[in-house]
Amino acid sequence: GAVVSQHPSWVICKSGTSVKIECRSLDFQATTMFWYRQFPKQSLMLMATSNEGSKATYEQGVEKDKFLINHASLTLSTLTVTSAHPEDSSFYICSARDFSQIETQYFGPGTRLLVL
Amino acid sequence: KQEVTQIPAALSVPEGENLVLNCSFTDSAIYNLQWFRQDPGKGLTSLLLIQSSQREQTSGRLNASLDKSSGRSTLYIAASQPGDSATYLCAVYTNAGKSTFGDGTTLTVKP
């Protein structure tokens, strides 16, 4: 079956640094990838939709200058948390939609970010 | 705007019981509905995916049903085991290309 990977799976950083998270579709082409965030004891909330070769679409309340998304190829999207602060500590999960099967999306294993 | 509600928020049962988790959604224009399991501090494990044209899916002791017209899905777990303890999330994937998640049901199965 289709596989989506994320790297890193865990990251701890100091406040003020930037962190990049990668999302890769390993055996299919993904024209669209989605980034979700999950705070402790809460459900996943969509942050942004990333389309290959174009600007990401951000959900209301998500700062596009803080969460930079780049989807430069059909198999890779990156989320950069710029100038991270402790309140950005969260679980970030990406999903990818198969170019040939738009009705299905596959989820990555997630990246846990802890900002000290 | 799609809203997904899961009831109950938490459930505690003795080992061996059959149980039902509920998920309701407000917009029936969906591609599919997916049930996930999430263990504490871990990512999502996909359990069952029901396409909008399907009524149910089964995998082992799990059975998920979908009634798109009424905006409801249930996840049935037969003969529950302590290893089933986790948070169960349902997510609806809409024609707009987004998934909306419920808040989850936290299940505890006591030995």
Side-chain angles (χ1 to χ4, degrees), chain A residues 56-95:
Chain A
T57 302
Y58 291 81
E59 296 298 301
Q60 192 172 9
V62 178
E63 301 174 58
K64 62 179 181 180
D65 294 331
K66 179 160 185 68
F67 299 98
L68 301 179
I69 292 174
N70 183 284
H71 192 162
S73 77
L74 287 173
T75 59
L76 174 65
S77 176
T78 60
L79 169 68
T80 301
V81 183
T82 62
S83 186
H85 290 283
E87 58 265 29
D88 298 322
S89 299
S90 186
F91 194 50
Y92 293 86
I93 297 179
C94 73
S95 70

Side-chain angles (χ1 to χ4, degrees), chain A residues 21-85:
Chain A
I21 302 170
E22 294 185 348
C23 177
R24 292 183 185 272
S25 58
L26 298 185
D27 50 4
F28 65 97
Q29 293 184 329
T31 52
T32 305
M33 290 185 173
F34 304 90
W35 286 95
Y36 296 83
R37 179 170 55 184
Q38 185 182 35
F39 290 111
K41 299 190 184 300
Q42 296 185 26
S43 191
L44 282 79
M45 298 296 292
L46 180 66
M47 298 175 64
T49 302
S50 166
N51 292 298
E52 187 265 337
S54 64
K55 291 183 178 181
T57 302
Y58 291 81
E59 296 298 301
Q60 192 172 9
V62 178
E63 301 174 58
K64 62 179 181 180
D65 294 331
K66 179 160 185 68
F67 299 98
L68 301 179
I69 292 174
N70 183 284
H71 192 162
S73 77
L74 287 173
T75 59
L76 174 65
S77 176
T78 60
L79 169 68
T80 301
V81 183
T82 62
S83 186
H85 290 283

Side-chain angles (χ1 to χ4, degrees), chain A residues 90-109:
Chain A
S90 186
F91 194 50
Y92 293 86
I93 297 179
C94 73
S95 70
R97 187 164 65 182
D98 190 330
F99 172 73
S100 61
Q101 295 182 314
I102 62 171
E103 70 279 6
T104 304
Q105 59 177 303
Y106 303 95
F107 286 84

